[in-house]
Amino acid sequence: MTVVHDVPKQLYIGGRWQDAESGRTLSVDNPATGEELCQVADASPADGRRAAEAAVAAQAAWAATPPRVRSEILRRAYDIIIARTEDLALLMTLEMGKPLTEARAEVAYAAEFFRWFSEEAVRIDGGLTTAPDGKNRLLVTRQPVGPCLLITPWNFPLAMGTRKIGPAIAAGCTMVLKPAPQTPLSSLALAGILTEAGLPEGVLNIVTTTDAAGVVEPLLRGGQIRKLSFTGSTQVGRILLAQCADTVIRTSMELGGNAPLIVFDDADLDVAVEGTMVAKMRNMGESCCAANRIYVHTSVAEEFATRLATRMAALKVGPGTEPGIDVGPLIDIAGRAKAHDVVRDAVKRGATVLTGGELPEGPGCFYPPTVLTGVSADSAIIDTEVFGPVAAILTFDDEDEAVAAANDTEFGLAAYLFTQNLDRALRVSERLESGMIGLNTGLVSNPAAPFGGVKQSGLGREGGRVGIEEFLEYKYIAVPVGA
Ligand code: NAP
């Protein structure tokens, strides 16, 4: 596998590829086979400190770099990523499992963050206004927040990195990136591409590690990191927020979801089934925006469930590298066990399995597309982020009931609704407690849109016009003006 062979397997610190100080390595496995793909460096806290020092050392010069230079580095990196789509997609499929067609789509999505923020880098503005008493001029300018720590999950190995690295580069911040240990190769490939595109040494440092807590906590308590941008579970987000509180570090938290999807009786059922397939099955259901609870009006529930089950049963499950595969393996055996456990719990509480629901034989972490109807509201699946190809269908009789059920969660990342009634579409969109709404669509991710959640799904937004703001501080300069 030359794409794996070609990726550096070391830490990237201060512009130099290097082994972990301890010489330790971690294993990267292919979830489709369970076999090891390669070993990469396994950083210790000492390596983490060196990476942070490299970011700190590079900060002042990087902040002084002309915005146009930062913009052009991002644009060149965008071009390189697009030119290497096939290699990057294959790399992602091998380390994470998603089918090649989805991996190609992620490459395009990930690259777009670089193109978008290359355009934002040269549009950072300030202002000069007159104070109300007329005596002062108020000069407001923007500065990079400083060295950042970026922590990413395994489910979108390339895009979760570019969604943070893009705005950090555009704003003039240096950074340490800690990718998930299951999928370090995409991030290491990205470091190579950014270096080729002209990123100066020390601006991006990468530490791959199996000791996330041991490496990260000293950095957050060390006083040099000024910003944490984290994507991952709410559970880990809470721990990191507490650590950031002690040294008052700015945070962006993209956390877990438990997305409701509502199908009203006036929905176009073709559109609703198609949208549900996307909202449920993108990335095998391993997405923070995945539809986790599907509420369907009683009058159309049976027809909707039958159509959805037919579509789900027709999906081809197998290794993502093979042609025609729709559903790859889940990330690991624990991920698959979690999906199966919630299915068994739902069935125990009275749910009917229309398709799927059985653990397959053989190697790999595969789980079949599964549709459950008659799911009772006290089933674990209702408040567990399933992260798997399991569609749980519940019914409702009126709008208030649907909205109340949808909002009955600590999460508030994405929600979906299907209706042809414009009044209802706007009314329900406003009532749903969620950062993003898919209205007659199952896809909300877009680099030009502000991505993020409310309630315990997070703080801040990534992408869109506001994405760069997360990496900028305001500076106000009071200018007295003589009579
Ligand atoms: P996770 O367990 O929270 O891990 C996320 C990252 O945090 C990994 O790199 C992980 O490394 C690291 N980490 C774990 N414990 C840590 C600690 N104590 N200190 C510092 N770093 C720590 O989440 P995951 O299982 O990888 O990803 C799935 C979750 O991410 C889901 O909840 C999903 O909804 C969420 N997600 C949210 C978004 C969004 O935009 N809102 C996007 C994608 C995913 P280790 O694996 O080594 O622990």
Side-chain angles (χ1 to χ4, degrees):
M1 272 162 301
T2 124
V3 287
V4 173
H5 181 263
D6 290 349
V7 177
K9 312 288 184 312
Q10 294 170 296
L11 309 177
Y12 189 58
I13 300 178
R16 233 169 33 82
W17 294 101
Q18 49 198 272
D19 290 333
E21 255 180 36
S22 65
R24 277 208 314 267
T25 56
L26 64 89
S27 170
V28 184
D29 301 335
N30 180 346
T33 61
E35 287 165 7
E36 181 180 292
L37 286 171
C38 63
Q39 295 271 327
V40 306
D42 189 358
S44 65
D47 296 311
R49 270 196 301 280
R50 285 189 303 112
E53 280 158 14
V56 170
Q59 179 58 60
W62 180 237
T65 308
R68 178 68 73 201
V69 171
R70 303 199 299 265
S71 166
E72 285 173 354
I73 290 169
L74 283 172
R75 178 62 209 216
R76 278 197 293 277
Y78 165 82
D79 289 337
I80 299 171
I81 293 174
I82 295 297
R84 296 200 192 141
T85 295
E86 284 308 309
D87 283 357
L88 288 166
L90 179 56
L91 193 63
M92 239 189 300
T93 295
L94 288 170
E95 68 174 348
M96 187 273 170
K98 67 183 71 188
L100 270 176
T101 41
E102 289 206 44
R104 289 189 192 104
E106 183 177 341
V107 173
Y109 174 55
E112 195 55 37
F113 285 105
F114 279 2
R115 180 158 68 167
W116 175 263
F117 285 108
S118 79
E119 290 156 358
E120 293 298 284
V122 290
R123 314 240 182 281
I124 300 169
D125 57 12
L128 178 64
T129 52
T130 302
D133 65 7
K135 291 182 186 147
N136 274 353
R137 297 295 176 268
L138 314 180
L139 179 59
V140 177
T141 184
R142 312 302 303 277
Q143 291 185 323
V145 65
C148 301
L149 177 60
L150 315 177
I151 302 179
T152 53
W154 48 263
N155 61 343
F156 291 96
L158 203 59
M160 295 302 95
T162 60
R163 201 165 77 172
K164 298 182 189 305
I165 295 168
I169 287 179
C173 295
T174 60
M175 65 211 97
V176 176
L177 169 66
K178 193 215 80 64
Q182 295 94 330
T183 57
L185 300 176
S186 297
S187 298
L188 294 169
L190 203 52
I193 287 171
L194 280 160
T195 304
E196 233 177 294
L199 194 71
E201 59 188 41
V203 174
L204 170 65
N205 305 277
I206 302 199
V207 286
T208 48
T209 181
T210 51
D211 183 14
V215 168
V216 164
E217 186 168 358
L219 300 190
L220 295 177
R221 297 197 188 280
Q224 292 185 307
I225 293 295
R226 294 309 322 143
K227 157 103 192 171
L228 169 68
S229 179
F230 172 76
T231 299
S233 62
T234 296
Q235 193 189 1
V236 173
R238 285 191 198 105
I239 296 170
L240 296 177
L241 276 168
Q243 291 172 9
C244 287
D246 286 345
T247 39
V248 193
I249 288 178
R250 240 177 105 175
T251 59
S252 298
M253 309 301 278
E254 296 287 347
L255 307 179
N258 180 9
L261 184 152
I262 308 175
V263 180
F264 287 100
D265 50 354
D266 53 23
D268 177 329
L269 276 198
D270 289 336
V271 173
V273 170
E274 184 56 39
T276 306
M277 288 300 290
V278 175
K280 181 69 255 178
M281 292 307 294
R282 179 171 173 240
N283 221 38
M284 291 84 73
E286 292 174 320
S287 159
C288 52
C289 296
N292 212 47
R293 302 166 287 147
I294 300 170
Y295 297 100
V296 187
H297 191 271
T298 313
S299 65
V300 292
E302 197 175 330
E303 188 182 350
F304 175 88
T306 306
R307 288 208 218 172
L308 188 71
T310 305
R311 289 283 304 274
M312 291 279 271
L315 295 175
K316 211 169 153 203
V317 181
T321 46
E322 288 181 9
I325 292 298
D326 302 300
V327 186
L330 298 184
I331 188 67
D332 51 27
I333 292 296
R336 176 169 87 164
K338 181 180 170 193
H340 193 52
D341 283 352
V342 292
V343 168
R344 280 196 310 196
D345 170 80
V347 170
K348 207 167 63 195
R349 291 168 199 274
T352 303
V353 180
L354 293 194
T355 185
E358 297 289 338
L359 274 181
E361 302 277 315
C365 313
F366 297 97
Y367 197 75
T370 298
V371 177
L372 303 172
T373 55
V375 175
S376 104
D378 64 354
S379 305
I381 200 166
I382 299 307
D383 48 26
T384 306
E385 193 180 15
V386 179
F387 248 52
V390 180
I393 300 179
L394 300 92
T395 56
F396 67 90
D397 290 312
D398 68 54
E399 189 178 301
D400 284 346
E401 184 191 347
V403 171
N407 286 340
D408 187 15
T409 169
E410 69 195 31
F411 297 104
L413 190 59
Y416 306 87
L417 67 135
F418 291 85
T419 173
Q420 295 190 87
N421 176 327
L422 182 61
D423 265 3
R424 168 175 276 159
L426 295 179
R427 188 171 59 237
V428 174
S429 294
E430 287 177 12
R431 292 178 69 195
L432 287 173
E433 295 166 358
S434 120
M436 299 175 287
I437 306 278
L439 176 55
N440 294 320
T441 176
L443 185 68
V444 291
S445 302
N446 189 318
F451 189 105
V454 299
K455 294 159 79 176
Q456 294 191 36
S457 284
L459 301 166
R461 294 292 182 271
E462 291 191 322
R465 296 297 307 276
V466 297
I468 194 168
E469 298 286 331
E470 301 276 335
F471 292 87
L472 291 169
E473 290 286 11
Y474 281 97
K475 179 166 281 180
Y476 149 58
I477 304 169
V479 187
V481 176

